[in-house]
């Protein structure tokens, strides 16, 4: 290992032709020549077997590592249903966490949006900050020995009315304490500075940060100054603004309202991803542009059923059918007041309203025939109008939200399921906007002279209707590929996989390599609508996998398609993965650059949080190495120091610690997840079982004896008095003593038959306890819902060895 200062290296780099120095270093690296192998990218759908294939609403997903075992876990907000964390059990399956988090138990229907993982308190584990919609309190969930505890108010984050979409973590003032920007759709973004005591203060106005109506942010070195800027996207013009964050107030480098040459504007971007797609040492950007986030569409199901998503503007559909028609509209104008809903639905020339939802219309009924009068007053809107022409058998449905192009929009979103007694024909959508339809994405390459649109030359110009994108080297051949999650308003369509052919040109992979996803009409087929894709190597085999949520139907309430986990079969190429630990800055090393060099090729990854719309890919740096058995690595830390490592063996996960070195990681050797009761069978199980009720913080201890008579005795000692000690199911000969010494619980439990004995106990907040079983000898002690065997005496929080005084 060699360590020096980044500014010294960069002085040399800039005087020798910028990033060309990187290529020179790679070319002179003492590595075996790389065999850039061409191999098919192939995925298997393992969702059901892995235990993640639930059907909920969704609003983004994020990979992190709750228990620090090296195996990635994934958070899904589930929007208006209880959020989930799928805890990776390192065997290909996941354990679903939801009720274990008190906030999620108490506020199971909160309007949760994107959440991001970060070690904001620099204590070595990852915490989770979940954004919420207007009127809901955001959720700062602090990781306390794998127990996620809501410390939002305690840390000074009373963020209730911001319409949050995704937190973006950055240490803008260089005090080693991560701060964050809460991106939001309902107003100006909020910037929160972390104070020395771990609390937060809003400093939005100090920074003069004015970014509005956006769903995520990028940390992106736009001007090649070796510092990440904040890029605010926009639904209309991308980017909205770019800020340099080195000093207060923040310096605005770009504003779409008065653009300069720093960055070209792209219209209507729904998601974007950053990566060095041509391996020239500069970060490029791929954008899904021109597609509305909630597109309107009308999709045929079968001969007697179709579904329509009608969002904004004046939109609807027409069809021909000679027979009764049943409409089942789920409309955001009617969630709480059905009286208003019915009045806003007008049918036939008389404009009568239904009294139930769904409602069936008989074409022979004169009240159904004709079409309601056109509205003349903006106050009448929004309106759903339905009519039937008995001569042509034509049905017409329109939802109108504005009278003129200058009158304000009244946000309206209706999902309409239609069933016809007789087959329908000539189904046509009306009033759709261009942004409701497929559109050309954009690939901007970061060249020495500025950004260049190379979409056509890169083979990416085909219009797509996709809403989320991730990038990774899926075939480990040394360049970044692209995966797109795709949908219409009322259906899921095939997801798209683009393989990078090695020169920043791309080729679509047939059937998305097996990760095409659920395809079909959204509700009737159960396919849902694609929401977000996030990438991570969840099984640590060196091949990057995909997690896709399909629950972005806001209507009907609570409906969603299945989560999908696509396991990468692998290409046989080599790889290396790196976790960074900074010691001279925030522990997550936000802003660090990692270069991986094999013969003739240099790849770049940046620790930028891996954010995109409502989502976070795993921050771990992954490099495909093709046929190279070793790799040279250089890490440029945000503090200015640089470390280089030569001849690093491939096909391993490493941890690089600033100022120290590089070490191979042996994953999985961490404390067991303690939250939740294990399954117990008194007829067959023997031993002591301990777990935590994490919402309350209370520990539970149970003994079972498989019909034998066993006396279990021992102690649980703390350094301070217990909050409570409560015996459970004891008989006359059982003893649980927590009063003689309030810091010490002495127990003797005579367990017989198939029953259980035990007690509950609660240490003071932030204090652990040491469990020692005195008798009988050789009996096993298990912890947590997965019943992990643990040697005792052990500390309940860390599960490390301890001593009982």
């Amino acid at each position: 290992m060699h360590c020096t200062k980044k500014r010294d290296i960069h002085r040399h780099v800039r005087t020798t032709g910028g990033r060309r120095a990187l290529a020179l270093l790679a070319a002179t690296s003492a590595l075996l020549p790389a065999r850039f192998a061409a191999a098919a990218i192939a995925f298997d759908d393992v969702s059901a077997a892995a235990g993640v294939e639930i059907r909920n609403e969704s609003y983004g997903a994020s990979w992190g590592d709750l228990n620090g075992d090296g195996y990635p876990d994934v958070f899904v907000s589930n929007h208006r249903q209880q959020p989930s964390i799928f805890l990776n059990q390192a065997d290909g399956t996941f354990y679903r966490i939801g009720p274990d988090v008190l906030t999620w138990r108490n506020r199971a229907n909160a309007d949760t949006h994107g959440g991001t993982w970060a070690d904001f308190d620099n204590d070595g584990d990852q915490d989770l900050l979940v954004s919420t919609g207007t009127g809901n309190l955001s959720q700062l969930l602090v990781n306390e020995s794998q127990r996620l505890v809501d410390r939002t108010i305690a840390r000074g984050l009373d963020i209730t009315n911001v319409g949050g979409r995704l937190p973006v973590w950055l240490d803008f003032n260089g005090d080693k304490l991560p701060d964050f920007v809460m991106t939001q759709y309902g107003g100006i973004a909020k910037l929160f500075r972390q104070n020395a005591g771990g609390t937060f203060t809003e400093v939005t106005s100090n920074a003069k940060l004015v970014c509005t109506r956006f769903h995520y942010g990028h940390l992106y070195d736009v001007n090649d100054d070796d510092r990440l800027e904040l890029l605010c996207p926009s639904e209309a013009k991308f980017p909205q603004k770019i800020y340099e964050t080195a000093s207060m107030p923040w310096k605005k480098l770009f504003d779409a309202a008065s653009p300069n040459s720093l960055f070209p504007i792209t219209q209507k971007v729904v998601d974007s991803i950053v990566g060095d797609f041509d391996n020239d040492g500069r970060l490029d950007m791929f954008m899904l542009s021109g597609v509305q986030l909630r597109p309107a569409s009308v999709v045929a199901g079968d001969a007697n059923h179709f579904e329509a998503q009608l969002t904004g503007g004046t939109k609807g559909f027409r069809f021909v059918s000679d027979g009764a028609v049943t409409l089942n509209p789920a409309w955001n104008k009617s969630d709480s007041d059905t009286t208003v809903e019915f009045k806003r639905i007008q049918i036939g020339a008389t404009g009568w309203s239904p009294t139930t939802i769904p409602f069936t219309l008989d074409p022979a009924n004169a009240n159904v025939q004709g079409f309601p009068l056109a509205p003349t007053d903006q106050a009448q809107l929004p309106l759903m109008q339905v009519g039937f022409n008995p001569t042509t058998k034509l049905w017409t449905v329109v939802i109108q939200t504005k009278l003129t192009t200058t009158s304000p929009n009244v946000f309206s979103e209706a999902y309409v399921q239609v069933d016809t007694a007789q087959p329908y024909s000539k189904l046509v959508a009306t009033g759709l906007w261009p942004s409701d339809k497929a559109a050309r994405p954009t690939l901007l390459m970061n060249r020495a002279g500025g950004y260049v649109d190379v979409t056509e030359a890169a083979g990416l110009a085909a219009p797509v209707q996709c809403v989320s994108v991730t990038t990774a080297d899926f075939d480990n051949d040394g360049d970044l590929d692209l995966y797109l999650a795709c949908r219409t308003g009322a259906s899921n369509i095939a997801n798209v996989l683009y393989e990078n052919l090695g020169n920043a040109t791309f080729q679509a992979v047939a059937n998305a390599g097996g990760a095409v996803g659920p395809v079909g009409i959204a509700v009737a087929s159960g396919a849902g609508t694609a929401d977000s894709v996030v990438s991570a190597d969840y099984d640590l085999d060196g091949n990057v996998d995909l997690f896709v949520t399909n629950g972005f139907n806001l209507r009907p309430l609570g409906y969603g398609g299945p989560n999908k986990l696509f396991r990468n079969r692998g290409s046989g190429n080599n790889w290396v993965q790196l976790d960074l630990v900074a010691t001279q800055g925030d522990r997550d090393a936000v802003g660090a650059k990692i270069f991986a060099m094999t013969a003739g090729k240099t790849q770049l990854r940046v620790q930028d949080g891996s954010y995109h719309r409502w989502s976070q890919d795993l921050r771990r740096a992954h490099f495909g190495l093709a046929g190279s058995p070793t790799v040279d690595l250089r890490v440029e830390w945000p503090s200015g120091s640089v470390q280089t490592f030569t001849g690093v063996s491939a096909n391993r996960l490493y941890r690089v610690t600033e100022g120290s070195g590089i070490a191979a990681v042996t994953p999985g050797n961490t404390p067991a997840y303690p939250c939740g009761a294990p399954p117990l069978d008194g007829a067959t199980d023997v031993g002591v079982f301990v777990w935590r009720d994490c919402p309350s913080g209370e520990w539970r201890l149970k003994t079972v004896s498989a019909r034998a008579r066993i006396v279990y005795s021992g102690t649980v000692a703390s350094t301070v008095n217990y909050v409570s000690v409560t015996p459970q199911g004891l008989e006359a000969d059982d003893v649980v003593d927590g009063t003689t010494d309030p810091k010490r619980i002495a127990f003797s439990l005579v367990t017989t038959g198939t029953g259980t004995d035990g007690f509950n106990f609660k240490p003071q907040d932030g204090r652990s306890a040491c469990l020692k079983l005195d008798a009988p000898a050789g009996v096993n002690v298990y912890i947590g819902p997965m019943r992990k065997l643990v040697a005792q005496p052990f500390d309940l929080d860390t599960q490390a060895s301890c001593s009982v005084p």
Side-chain angles (χ1 to χ4, degrees):
M1 178 191 78
H2 179 66
C3 184
T4 185
K5 283 291 183 181
K6 181 166 62 180
R7 60 176 177 269
D8 299 328
I9 285 185
H10 279 187
R11 185 181 301 118
H12 172 69
V13 166
R14 290 192 175 105
T15 57
T16 56
R19 293 294 195 274
R20 289 195 302 272
L22 303 181
L24 177 62
L25 180 58
T28 57
S29 173
L31 299 176
L32 295 178
R35 302 187 310 274
F36 295 111
I41 306 176
F43 294 92
D44 292 318
D45 182 349
V46 297
S47 315
V52 301
E53 196 175 46
I54 65 167
R55 294 174 178 271
N56 273 358
E57 288 189 11
S58 56
Y59 217 104
S62 299
W63 285 104
D65 189 356
L66 173 66
N67 57 2
D69 65 351
Y71 286 92
D73 315 306
V74 64
F75 162 77
V76 186
S77 76
N78 295 336
H79 198 200
R80 293 169 295 198
Q81 296 166 288
Q82 188 177 78
S84 301
I85 292 174
F86 293 99
L87 185 70
N88 194 331
Q89 299 196 81
D91 61 358
T93 66
F94 291 78
Y95 178 79
R96 186 181 177 188
I97 298 169
D100 293 340
V101 181
L102 181 61
T103 294
W104 296 348
R105 179 182 291 184
N106 290 342
R107 299 165 58 202
N109 302 116
D111 187 17
T112 51
H113 295 156
T116 55
W117 299 89
D119 184 4
F120 84 93
D121 49 7
N122 294 320
D123 66 349
D125 56 34
Q126 293 187 10
D127 312 291
L128 180 65
L129 177 56
V130 181
S131 67
T132 57
T134 301
N136 292 271
L137 183 66
S138 294
Q139 302 169 2
L140 179 62
L141 303 175
V142 180
N143 189 341
E144 299 179 2
S145 299
Q146 304 183 60
R147 179 186 176 219
L148 290 176
V149 182
D150 193 328
R151 304 292 188 193
T152 310
I153 298 299
R155 299 284 186 159
L157 290 176
D158 186 5
I159 317 174
T160 303
N161 291 301
V162 300
R165 291 301 187 264
L166 189 79
V168 174
W169 292 92
L170 72 165
D171 178 14
F172 72 87
N173 57 2
D175 64 355
K176 304 182 183 180
L177 301 174
D179 319 294
F180 71 92
V181 172
M182 181 64 78
T183 72
Q184 64 168 330
Y185 194 71
I188 298 173
K190 303 286 187 181
L191 171 63
F192 292 89
R193 182 194 66 219
Q194 187 176 174
N195 306 313
T199 60
F200 289 85
T201 301
E202 187 194 339
V203 292
T204 311
S205 59
N206 306 59
K208 295 187 176 180
L209 169 64
V210 186
C211 287
T212 61
R213 295 179 70 84
F214 67 123
H215 296 280
Y216 63 102
H218 284 308
L219 300 177
Y220 184 33
D221 185 3
V222 177
N223 56 5
D224 198 27
D225 65 349
D226 291 318
R227 182 181 173 89
L228 299 182
E229 285 78 46
L230 174 69
L231 185 150
C232 301
S234 168
E235 284 189 336
K237 295 181 178 180
F238 182 102
Q240 176 187 162
K241 292 185 175 75
I242 301 175
Y243 287 92
E244 192 174 67
T245 66
S247 59
M248 293 290 253
W250 288 3
K251 181 180 178 182
K252 187 167 60 176
L253 301 180
F254 181 90
D255 190 336
S258 54
N260 54 36
S261 60
L262 179 66
F263 203 95
I265 289 178
T266 302
Q267 302 296 325
K268 293 188 177 299
V269 172
V270 68
D271 197 13
S272 52
I273 204 77
V274 174
D276 182 7
F277 295 107
D278 57 356
N279 289 329
D280 69 347
R282 296 184 180 88
L283 292 177
D284 315 301
M285 187 171 289
F286 176 83
M287 291 162 283
L288 291 172
S289 50
V291 178
Q292 186 172 249
L293 184 60
R294 297 184 177 97
S297 69
V298 181
V299 180
D302 55 34
N304 296 90
H305 180 85
F306 64 90
E307 298 175 9
Q309 168 90 351
L310 304 176
T311 308
T314 299
K315 300 176 182 177
F317 50 86
R318 298 191 301 264
F319 64 99
V320 172
S321 185
D322 186 11
V325 171
T326 300
L327 287 90
N328 186 5
W331 198 10
N332 69 319
K333 296 302 163 187
S334 61
D335 288 348
S336 60
D337 190 341
T338 56
T339 303
V340 173
E341 172 186 22
F342 297 144
K343 289 180 179 179
R344 291 195 181 278
I345 301 175
Q346 298 177 350
I347 302 169
T350 61
W352 67 274
S353 299
T355 57
T356 60
I357 299 290
F359 54 91
T360 299
L361 304 179
D362 184 349
N365 184 343
N367 288 329
V368 173
Q369 298 172 8
F371 199 78
L373 294 175
T376 58
D377 185 350
Q378 185 74 27
Q380 296 175 264
L381 303 180
L383 280 178
M384 179 183 296
Q385 296 184 315
V386 183
F388 175 70
N389 185 321
T391 302
T392 62
K393 312 301 182 185
L394 180 69
W395 294 86
T396 301
V397 177
V398 173
I399 292 183
Q400 187 167 352
T401 63
K402 62 182 179 180
L403 290 177
T404 69
T405 56
T406 57
S407 61
N409 278 330
V410 180
F411 176 68
S412 173
E413 180 175 67
Y415 197 90
V416 186
Q417 299 177 67
V418 182
D419 290 283
T420 61
Q422 298 296 323
Y424 63 87
S425 63
K426 299 181 181 180
L427 176 63
V428 177
T430 60
L432 299 192
W433 298 338
S435 56
D436 289 321
K437 304 172 185 178
R440 171 191 182 273
T442 302
L443 177 62
L444 291 179
M445 302 303 292
N446 185 352
R447 307 294 195 199
Y451 292 89
V452 180
D453 185 338
V454 299
T455 312
E456 296 279 351
L460 295 170
V464 295
Q465 195 156 358
C466 306
V467 294
S468 185
V469 58
T470 188
T471 185
D473 187 355
F474 295 115
D475 51 2
N476 285 335
D477 64 350
D479 49 50
L480 292 173
D481 311 300
L482 292 163
Y483 180 89
L484 288 57
C486 309
R487 56 165 292 185
T488 74
S491 68
N492 249 345
I493 58 178
N495 298 331
V496 176
L497 173 63
Y498 284 113
E499 180 185 0
N500 191 332
L501 300 180
N503 53 358
T505 62
F506 293 81
Q507 177 176 291
V509 178
N511 198 40
V516 70
V519 174
I521 194 166
V523 176
S525 77
T529 50
D531 169 32
S532 174
V533 55
V534 287
S535 56
D537 174 16
Y538 80 91
D539 53 1
L540 298 188
D541 65 353
N543 306 302
V544 178
D545 313 295
L546 298 164
F547 184 85
V548 183
T549 60
N550 293 287
F552 193 50
N553 277 77
L554 294 187
R555 302 292 182 280
L557 290 174
Y559 173 79
N563 296 331
K564 286 294 179 181
L565 179 64
F566 297 109
R567 181 180 181 274
N568 192 335
R569 294 182 192 172
S571 63
N573 286 333
N574 294 327
W575 52 273
V576 70
Q577 300 191 74
L578 304 174
D579 288 334
L580 301 188
V581 178
T583 58
Q584 300 304 310
D586 68 281
R587 198 176 189 277
D588 286 340
V590 174
K593 297 182 178 181
I594 310 105
F595 297 92
M597 293 153 284
T598 55
K601 179 174 286 194
T602 298
Q603 299 178 64
L604 167 67
R605 303 288 186 266
V606 175
Q607 292 290 86
D608 58 4
S610 300
Y611 306 117
H612 53 113
R613 182 181 54 80
W614 309 335
S615 303
Q616 184 180 34
D617 298 318
L618 190 67
R619 290 175 304 181
R620 176 174 291 157
H622 168 275
F623 297 92
L625 304 178
S628 294
T630 58
V631 61
D632 285 359
L633 300 168
R634 182 167 75 249
V635 180
E636 298 182 356
W637 298 94
S639 66
S641 65
V642 174
Q643 288 174 277
T644 59
F645 308 95
T646 58
V648 176
S649 296
N651 303 327
R652 294 296 303 269
L653 167 63
Y654 295 94
R655 180 176 294 112
V656 181
T657 303
E658 182 178 13
S660 181
I662 185 170
V665 175
T666 301
N669 187 23
T670 55
Y673 182 67
C675 303
L680 290 178
D681 186 340
T684 57
D685 287 325
V686 176
V688 179
F689 294 83
V690 185
W691 69 94
R692 195 170 200 175
D693 177 68
C694 280
S696 67
E698 189 175 63
W699 286 93
R700 312 283 170 86
L701 183 148
K702 295 284 187 182
T703 59
V704 288
S705 63
R707 302 182 188 276
R709 183 182 187 278
I710 302 177
V711 180
Y712 298 95
S713 62
T715 54
V716 189
S718 182
T719 57
V720 295
N721 293 353
Y722 285 99
V723 174
S724 61
V725 180
T726 308
Q728 299 289 317
L730 302 191
E731 290 82 29
D733 50 356
D734 295 319
V735 175
V736 175
D737 180 7
T739 58
T740 301
D741 181 349
K743 300 178 185 178
R744 183 185 184 98
I745 305 168
F747 63 91
S748 177
L749 303 174
V750 182
T751 308
T752 61
T754 61
T756 64
D757 295 323
F759 56 94
N760 304 342
F761 59 101
K762 186 175 182 178
Q764 292 189 27
D765 196 23
R767 300 299 183 102
S768 188
C770 183
L771 169 63
K772 181 176 185 292
L773 186 67
D774 295 320
V779 170
N780 291 330
V781 180
Y782 305 89
I783 189 167
M786 275 73 82
R787 300 163 48 122
K788 181 179 178 180
L789 181 65
V790 58
Q792 53 87 34
F794 69 96
D795 181 282
L796 291 175
D797 276 353
T798 66
Q799 297 169 34
S801 178
C802 61
S803 59
V804 175

